[in-house]
Amino acid sequence: MKLTEQRFNELSDAEGFYVAYPSGLGKSWNDFREDSKAYAGRNGVDDVGFISFLIDSAVSELNADPGRIYLTGISNGALMTHRASCQLSQKIAAIACVAGNFPYGMASVLSPSRPMPVLLINGTDDPLVPYNGGNITFGALVRGKVLSVADTVSFW
């Protein structure tokens, strides 16, 4: 395995795969959390539609293999990866979520249409996303709530 050393584009060029780095509006994703500070959630941004459009564009314009579409994200991006994979499971082969448990309340509303290979990377000392679930806090601000890692694993 090659280390990318922050040169992921070089690795994708050498190995022959596409990579995209989308950014959510207002430096946030509408990832299902109740977070009044997140622009995307507060304004009802259709980030799932945006990700679906990116996937469709990669397949139609770049001839990307529709059976080999993978999503990954860290923190807010990981929570968005959980949401997108539930709503777009027919378009996504597998996901990897780093430091982002499943958003609280989402499991009762959304679920993937098929089994999904999932890699979860979490740490017990994460200062923002609680390993055992609960409120995501940033200083005194509560930025929504997540399930525990164990409950996230159980969901998937």
Side-chain angles (χ1 to χ4, degrees), residues 121-139:
I121 302 172
N122 297 80
T124 56
D125 289 339
D126 187 322
L128 300 176
V129 181
Y131 189 88
N132 292 316
N135 290 329
I136 294 176
T137 56
F138 188 76

Side-chain angles (χ1 to χ4, degrees), residues 137-148:
T137 56
F138 188 76
L141 296 175
V142 174
R143 306 292 308 266
K145 193 173 180 180
V146 292
L147 298 180
S148 68

Side-chain angles (χ1 to χ4, degrees), residues 39-151:
Y39 176 89
R42 191 174 67 243
N43 290 286
V45 174
D46 183 11
D47 284 325
V48 173
F50 171 60
I51 292 169
S52 183
F53 173 80
L54 288 176
I55 292 169
D56 292 345
S57 296
V59 170
S60 67
E61 296 175 26
L62 302 173
N63 200 30
D65 183 344
R68 297 176 67 192
I69 303 293
Y70 306 95
L71 294 185
T72 188
I74 186 169
S75 193
N76 181 214
L79 276 72
M80 188 63 219
T81 296
H82 286 296
R83 180 176 188 171
S85 62
C86 283
Q87 293 183 259
L88 302 173
S89 58
Q90 73 283 4
K91 294 183 178 188
I92 299 168
I95 63 170
C97 299
V98 180
N101 308 353
F102 205 82
Y104 181 81
M106 193 167 77
S108 64
V109 178
L110 300 175
S111 62
S113 61
R114 63 171 191 80
M116 174 82 54
V118 175
L119 171 65
L120 302 174
I121 302 172
N122 297 80
T124 56
D125 289 339
D126 187 322
L128 300 176
V129 181
Y131 189 88
N132 292 316
N135 290 329
I136 294 176
T137 56
F138 188 76
L141 296 175
V142 174
R143 306 292 308 266
K145 193 173 180 180
V146 292
L147 298 180
S148 68
V149 170
D151 287 340

